[in-house]
Amino acid sequence: MNDSISLAYTIVEGRDVEAFDAFATSILGLQRGASPAPDVGSYRLDEKAQRILVRRGDADDIAAVGFEASSAQAFEGALARARAAGVQPQPGSADEARIRQVAEFAWFADPEGNRIEVCRGLREATEPFRSALMPGGFKTGALGMGHYVLIADDRLRLARFYTAALGMRLSDTATDREPIGEVSVSFLRATPRHHTVGFAQAPIPFPRRLHHIMIEANDLDDVGASYERALAAGTPIANHLGRHLNDRMFSYYAVSPLGFFIEVGQGGLEVDEATWRVEHVDRFHSWGHRPGLPVPAAVA
Ligand SMILES: [Fe+2]
């Protein structure tokens, strides 16, 4: 994909950042990064200085996502594409760029108010990534840091916007009956990773916009060991181990202390652009992913 962008970082906000820190380091096996500002924690997945930023606040939700362009030229191209789609990217300040550990960035909002940042020059850490709990490390690089799924009011409108403004491609759509009722999702990719973002429409209100962030381990055993740590620590499980039908990800979903879920996966599909066909699938899961949370009484 020409002037492709990849998911560089996510910024989340929440109240109990101390509990999130314990979860991120002792269950997920993330490496703590250097704190870029007071009350901002950072976590590493790879050689980059940081991939997940956590700031203290009331929202318990996503605050922003950052997409990285691979060069100054690609950065300008990405901003021009956004302008052509009808938005006016606003430059981030030098201080905001320093907190994000990027050379520069600009931001705009999608039609539902989700903050999107386009950056270049995400810095590398001075020390190699090391995690005793995740010895195989995480799959990032050209695929970006992972994927995330938002709750959407109008998933088709968001899919059109992310296609036009960010150059993403629709990978597929899916509908399934979940414990809360019928859920439909549009999955879009910015890189060969099957999806970079998903937009989910659910039949009941969801308390936040962020459903989950997915981080992908290189080693299947690291996913299993992480799942066992979550169970042993009493971490609520949103979905137990299973495999997705469309991106074939083997994964489980933990409920983070900020309320949204973290999907820890392995073995996700990479799309071959030459042969890929967009389809609608009628199941989210090949097997497993048994719900671990009680079904809300209103829809039980
Ligand atoms: Fe996912």
Side-chain angles (χ1 to χ4, degrees):
M1 235 175 275
N2 292 330
D3 28 279
S4 68
I5 51 171
S6 64
L7 185 61
Y9 57 83
T10 52
I11 306 177
V12 296
E13 179 181 300
R15 287 168 290 183
D16 197 348
V17 295
E18 290 79 12
F20 187 87
D21 180 79
F23 169 73
T25 53
S26 64
I27 306 294
L28 303 180
L30 308 190
Q31 185 177 352
R32 221 179 260 121
S35 174
D39 264 356
V40 180
S42 77
Y43 299 92
R44 295 179 56 193
L45 295 174
D46 57 9
E47 77 285 0
K48 298 295 183 183
Q50 54 193 24
R51 291 292 200 173
I52 298 175
L53 290 172
V54 183
R55 70 182 194 209
R56 196 183 294 277
D58 292 333
D60 283 342
D61 205 349
I62 193 94
V65 295
F67 292 99
E68 184 178 20
S70 56
S71 66
Q73 193 183 9
F75 178 71
E76 291 306 324
L79 297 187
R81 182 168 51 200
R83 281 185 211 103
V87 292
Q88 288 302 322
Q90 304 296 313
S93 71
D95 196 46
E96 289 173 315
R98 186 190 57 73
I99 289 170
R100 289 154 178 76
Q101 293 285 298
V102 297
E104 63 177 325
F105 79 101
W107 69 274
F108 52 91
D110 76 17
E112 296 192 4
N114 300 296
R115 181 171 163 125
I116 296 167
E117 301 180 350
V118 176
C119 70
R120 67 173 184 86
L122 178 62
R123 292 200 183 89
E124 303 217 337
T126 50
E127 301 286 323
F129 175 78
R130 223 175 260 126
S131 168
L133 297 181
M134 225 5 114
F138 292 97
K139 191 168 191 177
T140 58
L143 300 179
M145 66 155 278
H147 72 229
Y148 66 107
V149 170
L150 297 176
I151 304 298
D153 292 329
D154 184 343
R155 68 187 171 92
L156 302 180
R157 184 180 185 208
L158 287 185
R160 283 194 300 273
F161 179 82
Y162 282 67
T163 303
L166 293 167
M168 291 197 193
R169 296 184 186 192
L170 182 69
S171 289
D172 46 39
T173 57
T175 302
D176 202 352
R177 260 205 96 67
E178 293 283 288
I180 57 165
E182 192 175 270
V183 177
S184 292
V185 190
S186 296
F187 295 95
L188 288 90
R189 67 186 182 280
T191 72
R193 174 173 268 137
H194 174 276
H195 56 281
T196 299
V197 64
F199 303 117
Q201 266 177 264
I204 62 168
F206 202 73
R208 59 185 56 78
R209 289 171 297 158
L210 178 61
H211 182 272
H212 73 270
I213 295 171
M214 190 286 304
I215 52 177
E216 185 172 3
N218 288 314
D219 186 337
L220 184 137
D221 286 339
D222 286 350
V223 178
S226 155
Y227 174 72
E228 288 296 322
R229 285 193 298 275
L231 291 182
T235 303
I237 303 295
N239 293 89
H240 291 277
L241 288 168
R243 192 178 290 280
H244 282 299
L245 182 69
N246 64 349
D247 74 349
R248 299 178 203 158
M249 190 77 79
F250 169 80
S251 63
Y252 79 97
Y253 292 66
V255 182
S256 84
L258 303 186
F260 54 80
F261 309 149
I262 299 286
E263 179 183 11
V264 182
Q266 191 272 338
L269 179 74
E270 291 177 39
V271 164
D272 177 351
E273 294 290 337
T275 58
W276 187 257
R277 292 207 175 164
V278 177
E279 287 186 343
H280 179 77
V281 296
D282 60 5
R283 276 185 303 147
F284 293 152
H285 321 282
S286 300
W287 60 268
H289 284 149
R290 181 162 46 88
L293 294 175
V295 178
V299 293

